[in-house]
Amino acid sequence: MFEGFTQSTVSTGEAEIFVRHGGEGPPVLLLHGHPRTSATWHRVAPLLVARGFTVVCPDLRGYGRSRGPAPSPDHSAHSKRAVAGDLARLMRELGHPRFRLAGHDRGVAVALRLTLDHPEAVARVAFLDGIPLTAHLDRVDARFATQWWHWFFFAQPDTPERVITADPDRWYRGDPARMGVENHAEFRAATRDPEVVRAMLEDYRAGLTVDARDERADKAAGRRVRCPVLALWSLRDDLEELHGDPVRIWREWADDVRGHGIDSGHHVAEEAPDTLAADLAAFFAG
């Protein structure tokens, strides 16, 4: 994977962030979701490099090979604000004070926070198969709670750790044929690590507490995404089915939004890399 890319670990003060980066041209930061690592981009990143971009793929704080502080009682140590701060510093350390940005799944919430907290750094942002955390929570009904029950299970203290680490391979299933053998091996190593599992759960606990409060404070203060936004979602997943048109939802948060669905399951970077890379390259070149 990632032939021609450099691997390094960058200290951000609170965290040690593992990152892959390569290519030449305008910088693009790609953020993975749960329970993946930066390896999820292994098919997309080379395609973007071939289209003339520098591509940066980190493991988020606590995921994969990145490490952060111990969990805090209020979950702020794994808040999207803390993770966004990691990434802003990472990009400065790599020489990219301004960049294009894409986040998938939990990476969507990080990308939104990064764009709101560091607007001078983000030139364009793509949100992949996700909407703001509070947009989900404000639409909770029995169907959402049934299909996305893991959000609320992960928020419970201690029990999820015991359940998941008892048999992580059964809990976090993945197909090496679909994911790619090396990507799958990296995902499997991460999900077998109790420290990583704890950090991933803290991501969800922060989402329902400190992150939701931060988003609501933004909304009350009238803070919006000022750069151009691309919303893409998987047509073989349930985001649009549950919440309606994601473009309409993102227009509650941003001034310039366009988007469409992609014929893929949820893990679009692994399942439809050519389509995704073409859509991102066209948007980022705009």
Side-chain angles (χ1 to χ4, degrees):
M1 296 186 298
F2 294 94
E3 184 177 354
F5 279 63
T6 297
Q7 296 185 6
S8 55
T9 300
V10 175
S11 174
T12 66
E14 287 189 347
E16 301 290 322
I17 303 302
F18 173 80
V19 60
R20 297 170 158 107
H21 50 103
E24 296 182 2
V28 172
L29 176 62
L30 301 178
L31 308 181
H32 65 82
H34 172 272
R36 295 303 204 253
T37 72
S38 55
T40 195
W41 302 106
H42 73 104
R43 291 170 176 150
V44 170
L47 297 175
L48 291 176
V49 167
R51 287 168 166 82
F53 295 96
T54 296
V55 180
V56 180
C57 303
D59 289 353
L60 300 181
R61 174 184 292 207
Y63 282 77
R65 283 178 269 181
S66 291
R67 293 295 177 266
S72 56
D74 66 353
H75 313 299
S76 61
H78 291 81
S79 69
K80 307 307 169 289
R81 176 155 282 149
V83 178
D86 288 341
L87 299 173
R89 177 153 180 189
L90 168 71
M91 293 301 279
R92 291 194 299 269
E93 292 289 330
L94 294 177
H96 309 307
R98 187 165 170 82
F99 49 88
R100 292 125 180 96
L101 172 63
H104 174 257
D105 185 77
R106 302 300 288 183
V108 167
V110 177
L112 175 59
R113 178 52 49 204
L114 181 53
T115 305
L116 290 171
D117 284 2
H118 305 273
E120 73 290 344
V122 181
R124 290 178 167 245
V125 60
F127 299 117
L128 314 179
D129 226 22
I131 56 178
L133 295 172
T134 51
H136 285 291
L137 295 175
D138 290 345
R139 292 166 170 80
V140 168
D141 57 15
R143 185 172 59 162
F144 178 87
T146 300
Q147 293 180 221
W148 290 42
W149 61 273
H150 65 282
W151 275 34
F152 310 103
F153 175 64
F154 289 170
Q156 304 306 309
D158 301 323
T159 299
E161 282 90 339
R162 294 199 304 271
V163 171
I164 294 169
T165 58
D167 192 351
D169 291 3
R170 185 162 187 145
W171 183 272
Y172 288 120
R173 300 183 183 187
D175 180 354
R178 296 184 67 174
M179 295 175 64
V181 173
E182 292 173 281
N183 176 31
H184 179 267
E186 188 167 310
F187 148 84
R188 182 59 68 215
T191 55
R192 287 173 175 170
D193 185 333
E195 187 176 349
V196 172
V197 171
R198 179 74 184 276
M200 293 193 296
L201 294 171
E202 283 295 307
D203 173 4
Y204 280 83
R205 290 163 180 154
L208 297 184
T209 55
V210 60
D211 296 333
R213 290 195 296 270
D214 286 343
E215 280 191 12
R216 296 195 194 285
D218 291 328
K219 208 66 179 297
R223 298 179 72 200
R224 294 175 63 77
V225 174
R226 301 299 178 185
C227 67
V229 170
L230 176 66
L232 300 174
W233 60 95
S234 303
L235 293 175
R236 287 185 266 129
D237 200 19
D238 59 1
L239 183 68
E240 188 174 14
E241 173 191 344
L242 286 171
H243 300 311
D245 183 2
V247 170
R248 178 181 55 79
I249 294 170
W250 279 110
R251 283 180 178 151
E252 299 173 10
W253 284 85
D255 299 327
D256 178 359
V257 184
R258 79 290 314 265
H260 57 268
I262 291 178
D263 184 19
S264 172
H266 178 58
H267 293 288
V268 59
E270 298 167 3
E271 298 177 35
D274 294 310
T275 300
L276 179 59
D279 286 343
L280 290 177
F283 174 64
F284 289 147

